[in-house]
C-alpha cells in the first residue's frame, strides 16, 4: 500500500517542477517567432521594375490652381533582413518621366507690378527619388501569421520642370517619419501574402524656385500596400506588389518680389497621390 501512495506524489512533484521550470509556457505561442517562410520572403537584396502613377494638385482659397498627372517608369532596389523577431529594411526608389500639366502661366509686369494668369497645358519632366529605412519587431500569434509593427524614416526629392513657353523649374525636398504595421500570412512554404499600412508626417519640407526658397512646414504622410511573394528556391523570391502613398505640403509664407513694392509670392497648399505597381526579385 505504501508503494501505491508514493506514485501519485511522485508524479505530482514532477508536474509541479515542470511548471516552475516553464512558468510562461502558455503565453509563449502568442509571441512566437515569425514563421520561416515569412522570414525568407522578407530577407535579401531586391530589384524591382514598375509604374508610378502620380496626381499632384495645388490649391488656394479659390480652389485648384494647377495640377498634373500621368505614369512614370519606376525602379526600386532594397536590402532587408527579417529575423525571428527583429528586422530592418532599406529601400531606394527612382522614377523619371513626363506627365501632363494643367494650370496657368504667370507673367509679372515690372511696370504695373501686376501678375497675369494665362491658362496653360504643358508637359512636366519629373525625376523623383525616394529612400526609406525601417526597423521592426514582429511576432506570430497564430500559425502561419506574422504581426510586425515598425518604425520608419525617409527622404523625398522631386525635380519638377514644366516645359514650354513660360515654363518653371521647382525643386522639392522633404523628410518624413512615422510608424506602421505589416500583417503577413504564409499560404504555404512557397507563397506569402502581406499587407502594410504606414502613417507619419513630413518635416523640413522646402521648395526652391531659382533664387527663392519656400518653407512648407509639416503635413501628414501615409501609405498602404499589398504584396504576394513566390519562393521557388530558398535563395530566390519573386514578388508583385502595389502601394498607394499620399502626402501634403503646407502653404509657405509670403515673399515680397524685389522691386515690386508690396507684391508677394507664395507657394500654395498641395497634395500628391502616388500609386506604384511593381514586379521584383529578391535574392539571398
Amino acid at each position: 500500500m505504501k508503494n501505491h501512495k508514493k506514485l501519485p506524489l511522485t508524479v505530482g512533484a514532477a508536474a509541479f517542477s515542470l511548471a516552475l521550470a516553464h512558468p510562461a509556457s502558455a503565453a509563449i505561442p502568442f509571441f512566437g517567432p515569425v514563421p520561416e517562410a515569412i522570414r525568407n520572403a522578407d530577407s535579401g537584396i531586391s530589384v524591382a521594375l514598375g509604374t508610378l502613377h502620380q496626381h499632384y494638385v495645388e490649391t488656394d482659397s479659390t480652389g485648384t490652381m494647377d495640377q498634373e498627372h500621368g505614369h512614370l517608369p519606376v525602379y526600386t532596389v532594397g536590402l532587408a533582413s527579417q529575423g525571428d523577431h527583429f528586422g530592418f529594411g532599406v529601400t531606394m526608389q527612382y522614377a523619371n518621366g513626363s506627365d501632363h500639366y494643367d494650370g496657368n502661366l504667370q507673367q509679372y509686369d515690372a511696370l504695373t507690378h501686376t501678375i497675369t494668369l494665362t491658362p496653360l497645358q504643358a508637359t512636366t519632366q519629373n525625376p523623383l527619388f525616394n529612400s526609406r529605412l525601417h526597423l521592426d519587431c514582429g511576432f506570430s500569434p497564430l500559425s502561419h501569421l506574422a504581426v510586425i509593427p515598425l518604425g520608419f524614416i525617409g527622404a523625398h526629392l522631386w525635380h519638377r520642370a514644366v516645359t514650354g513657353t513660360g515654363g518653371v523649374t521647382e525643386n522639392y525636398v522633404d523628410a518624413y517619419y512615422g510608424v506602421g504595421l505589416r500583417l503577413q500570412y504564409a499560404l504555404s512554404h512557397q507563397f506569402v501574402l502581406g499587407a502594410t499600412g504606414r502613417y507619419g508626417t513630413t518635416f523640413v519640407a522646402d521648395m526652391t524656385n531659382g533664387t527663392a526658397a519656400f518653407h512648407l512646414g509639416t503635413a501628414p504622410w501615409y501609405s498602404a500596400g499589398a504584396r504576394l511573394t513566390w519562393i521557388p528556391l530558398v535563395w530566390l523570391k519573386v514578388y508583385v506588389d502595389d502601394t498607394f502613398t499620399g502626402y501634403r505640403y503646407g502653404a509657405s509664407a509670403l515673399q515680397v518680389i524685389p522691386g515690386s513694392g508690396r507684391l508677394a509670392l507664395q507657394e500654395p497648399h498641395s497634395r500628391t497621390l502616388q500609386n506604384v505597381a511593381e514586379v521584383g526579385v529578391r535574392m539571398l
Side-chain angles (χ1 to χ4, degrees), residues 18-173:
L18 288 172
L20 289 177
H22 304 283
S25 59
I28 289 175
F30 186 85
F31 293 101
V34 173
E36 181 180 3
I38 295 175
R39 298 199 307 268
N40 194 13
D42 290 353
S43 300
I45 300 170
S46 60
V47 179
L49 303 175
T51 299
L52 183 154
H53 175 75
Q54 174 161 273
H55 183 66
Y56 172 80
V57 178
E58 289 184 347
T59 59
D60 64 5
S61 59
T62 63
T64 299
M65 297 182 64
D66 65 72
Q67 59 184 308
E68 60 180 77
H69 54 85
H71 293 83
L72 314 174
V74 63
Y75 314 90
T76 304
V77 295
L79 172 66
S81 177
Q82 181 62 56
D84 288 349
H85 293 285
F86 298 101
F88 77 92
V90 179
T91 301
M92 291 181 289
Q93 190 173 79
Y94 176 73
N96 193 355
S98 60
D99 58 18
H100 179 70
Y101 173 86
D102 179 7
N104 295 281
L105 173 63
Q106 300 184 42
Q107 295 177 302
Y108 170 64
D109 189 327
L111 296 177
T112 61
H113 299 306
T114 59
I115 291 179
T116 303
L117 298 179
T118 304
L120 175 67
Q121 302 289 320
T123 298
T124 305
Q125 298 297 323
N126 287 312
L128 296 158
F129 178 77
N130 185 67
S131 63
R132 185 169 62 241
L133 165 69
H134 83 260
L135 301 175
D136 68 61
C137 179
F139 60 94
S140 178
L142 298 172
S143 179
H144 308 299
L145 176 68
V147 178
I148 306 178
L150 57 90
F152 63 88
I153 186 168
H156 174 251
L157 295 84
W158 178 22
H159 177 75
R160 183 189 186 212
V162 180
T163 61
T165 303
V168 297
T169 297
E170 299 175 333
N171 294 294
Y172 291 84
V173 178

Side-chain angles (χ1 to χ4, degrees), residues 265-276:
L265 293 177
Q266 181 184 40
E267 178 66 10
H269 292 279
S270 67
R271 182 187 74 243
T272 300
L273 303 177
Q274 296 176 336
N275 190 80
V276 174

Side-chain angles (χ1 to χ4, degrees), residues 170-191:
E170 299 175 333
N171 294 294
Y172 291 84
V173 178
D174 71 85
Y176 59 95
Y177 68 94
V179 296
L181 180 65
R182 185 164 68 243
L183 300 177
Q184 291 175 277
Y185 188 81
L187 303 172
S188 68
H189 290 297
Q190 288 190 310
F191 290 94

